[in-house]
Amino acid sequence: MEHKPENQEHEQPEQEKRDYSFMREIIKKKPVSGRLLLRRILCLVGGAVLAGVIAAFVFVWMVPVAENLIREGSSRVSISDSSESSSGTSASSSSEEEVEEETEPSDKPTPSPTPTLGLTEYRQLYKEMIAVAETPKKAMVTVIGITSEMDYFNQNYENQKQISGLLVAENEQDLFILTEYRVVENVQRIQVTFYDGSVVDAIYQRHDANTGLTVLRVSLADLDESTREGMELAVLGSSYGVSQGELVLALGSPIGYSGSVSGGVITSVTNKVSTLDTEYNLLTTDINGSQDGSGVLINLNGEIVGIIAQSYSSENIVTALPISQVKSLIESLSNNEARPYIGIKGQDVTEQISATTGIPKGVLVTSVQADSPAMLAGIKEYDVIAAVGDEKVSTIRQYRDCLDDLSPGQTVSVTAMRRGASGYAEVVFEVSVGEI
């Protein structure tokens, strides 16, 4: 058996150690150069100085611009006249000089002062207003209703009531007079006194129960030639342009005495009165009137703008129906035509009311007249009428216009919305149109 020397056995591990030993190194920082450090400090200081210079330049440049913007913004939101000062004692002398320059008189001519209205001017103004009424006064008449009665001693005597009337139309044979039914109701004789004092008999034509207006007719053959030549037919103007504060004259007997002329202004045009199957606006004035007053309102052009209707006045002031809303009624009465009638009173349901209350748009039925065509057809209070025939309606005026196209005795479908347990449902009524 072969033996190796011991020194060979120890040499092998040492050789392996030498072959696989790792490199060990120590990394040391490079020494800082004094020149490099100085360069870095100078660069940092220079950058800071440059930034400061730029900032200072920007600030100096932007300050005037910012002040101009602030000043312009202030003039847009603070609108004031020359009498206002900015801050009292803190105002500078230069701003005071600017105010003085602005208040210097300009080259524009100063308007002449309005002359005061003295007694002479007021008298002349009233004379001019009375002159406007001269022509319309020739269209005014006095209607007298005569009833024969027996007194305590069984002797006949005549009971007379009188009211103002208006000449509204004529044809080849007759002259038509608009007045109020309350004076000629159930009378035995009707007489009309014209502007020149001539008196003739009149015949009842037809009346409207809603407004209390009626039309009489007088034969032209009964009038003297001078009366016919001197009388005037009333010029029916437009009341749609009448506004609050407008000057008007009341002719007729606004305080109960015939032949009167009173002046005043319109105080309201928005009040309304609901009647069967329609509604009317009311023209209220500051003119004194009585409950028995009658006549017309005219504008300063001498046109009729209202028919006095004191039954709608809650106080002793002249109140009138707008002429534009009763023109079709006057025409129907003059032609002795029956007015279509269903028998409801209603109120407009506007979009705002509908959005607030949930009621559908249309005409809300506020009441139904007893034994009327509406009641017989089944229409009830709080129904909302949406259509008459094929025509949709959203206002009482549209409803009235649809009614005027119908004839008494005609059957028409009336569509309404009726409220039930689950909301509003459509209901159709077959209504036989009556006459009034």
Side-chain angles (χ1 to χ4, degrees):
M1 185 175 191
E2 211 176 278
H3 294 280
K4 292 181 179 180
E6 292 181 0
N7 58 352
Q8 291 183 356
E9 293 178 358
H10 292 287
E11 288 178 359
Q12 183 69 23
E14 292 179 358
Q15 187 177 359
E16 291 178 357
K17 289 181 181 180
R18 287 195 300 268
D19 293 339
Y20 297 99
S21 62
F22 290 97
M23 182 181 294
R24 295 180 179 179
E25 294 184 356
I26 298 175
I27 300 175
K28 295 182 179 182
K29 293 183 179 179
K30 184 178 181 180
V32 179
S33 172
R35 183 179 298 176
L36 180 60
L37 180 60
L38 180 60
R39 185 184 299 172
R40 289 180 178 179
I41 293 173
L42 291 175
C43 290
L44 181 62
V45 173
V49 171
L50 181 61
V53 172
I54 295 174
F57 176 80
V58 171
F59 179 78
V60 172
W61 179 72
M62 286 298 296
V63 165
V65 176
E67 289 178 350
N68 291 333
L69 291 175
I70 293 172
R71 190 177 298 111
E72 291 176 0
S74 299
S75 65
R76 284 195 298 269
V77 298
S78 298
I79 302 174
S80 60
D81 57 25
S82 59
S83 64
E84 293 182 344
S85 61
S86 58
S87 59
T89 58
S90 63
S92 64
S93 59
S94 61
S95 63
E96 292 176 357
E97 293 175 358
E98 291 176 359
V99 171
E100 290 177 357
E101 292 177 0
E102 291 176 357
T103 56
E104 288 180 358
S106 62
D107 296 334
K108 295 181 180 179
T110 56
S112 59
T114 304
T116 57
L117 186 64
L119 292 177
T120 303
E121 290 79 12
Y122 183 80
R123 188 182 296 113
Q124 181 62 30
L125 177 63
Y126 199 76
K127 285 183 178 180
E128 292 178 2
M129 294 177 63
I130 295 299
V132 172
E134 287 302 317
T135 299
K137 281 172 65 176
K138 295 181 180 180
M140 300 297 300
V141 297
T142 300
V143 178
I144 304 170
I146 303 172
T147 305
S148 296
E149 297 182 2
M150 300 290 292
D151 62 10
Y152 184 77
F153 300 101
N154 292 327
Q155 294 181 349
N156 288 328
Y157 73 97
E158 289 185 346
N159 182 25
Q160 296 186 1
K161 298 179 181 179
Q162 67 179 35
I163 200 171
S164 295
L166 183 68
L167 305 180
V168 291
E170 68 176 349
N171 57 22
E172 295 179 355
Q173 295 85 25
D174 298 312
L175 181 66
F176 299 93
I177 300 167
L178 179 70
T179 188
E180 293 186 50
Y181 183 62
R182 57 188 170 94
V183 169
V184 300
E185 183 180 9
N186 299 323
V187 297
Q188 296 170 338
R189 187 180 182 185
I190 303 173
Q191 288 186 327
V192 174
T193 303
F194 285 79
Y195 76 99
D196 60 353
S198 60
V199 180
V200 297
D201 287 339
I203 300 173
Y204 162 80
Q205 182 86 346
R206 184 177 283 273
H207 81 282
D208 176 58
N210 275 336
T211 59
L213 297 178
T214 188
V215 167
L216 313 175
R217 59 184 174 91
V218 170
S219 176
L220 289 173
D222 294 338
L223 296 177
D224 294 337
E225 184 177 352
S226 60
T227 302
R228 294 176 60 178
E229 291 178 354
M231 71 181 187
E232 296 283 347
L233 290 180
V235 179
L236 304 183
S238 173
S239 56
Y240 293 121
V242 176
S243 59
Q244 190 177 37
E246 183 173 342
L247 286 170
V248 291
L249 297 176
L251 307 185
S253 53
I255 57 175
Y257 300 99
S258 59
S260 299
V261 180
S262 300
V265 299
I266 298 291
T267 57
S268 174
V269 297
T270 57
N271 295 319
K272 295 182 179 181
V273 57
S274 179
T275 63
L276 288 177
D277 295 321
T278 190
E279 71 174 7
Y280 297 100
N281 289 88
L282 293 177
L283 303 179
T284 60
T285 71
D286 62 354
I287 304 173
N288 290 330
S290 68
Q291 287 300 115
D292 294 328
S294 60
V296 297
L297 293 181
I298 66 171
N299 58 21
L300 297 186
N301 294 325
E303 300 169 337
I304 310 297
V305 294
I307 305 297
I308 294 177
Q310 290 301 94
S311 59
Y312 300 123
S313 176
S314 58
E315 300 179 3
N316 291 330
I317 56 174
V318 170
T319 303
L321 294 172
I323 190 64
S324 297
Q325 295 181 10
V326 296
K327 280 183 179 179
S328 61
L329 172 63
I330 295 172
E331 184 177 347
S332 297
L333 297 178
S334 300
N335 292 320
N336 199 18
E337 297 174 348
R339 298 270 289 173
Y341 154 74
I342 288 181
I344 63 103
K345 289 185 178 182
Q347 175 185 343
D348 296 348
V349 180
T350 62
E351 291 185 1
Q352 183 178 1
I353 295 176
S354 179
T356 304
T357 62
I359 302 174
K361 284 185 59 179
V363 177
L364 176 66
V365 178
T366 57
S367 66
V368 180
Q369 189 181 39
D371 299 326
S372 64
M375 175 174 282
L376 296 177
I379 298 176
K380 296 182 179 180
E381 189 178 5
Y382 303 122
D383 288 345
V384 181
I385 296 177
V388 176
D390 296 330
E391 297 293 330
K392 294 183 178 180
V393 297
S394 57
T395 65
I396 190 71
R397 297 284 174 81
Q398 294 175 352
Y399 167 81
R400 179 69 247 182
D401 290 341
C402 291
L403 231 60
D404 288 338
D405 293 334
L406 303 175
S407 302
Q410 183 178 348
T411 300
V412 64
S413 298
V414 176
T415 304
M417 304 298 292
R418 175 170 291 179
R419 187 172 184 177
S422 58
Y424 283 89
E426 183 178 294
V427 184
V428 179
F429 304 97
E430 297 298 324
V431 182
S432 179
V433 179
E435 67 177 59
I436 189 173

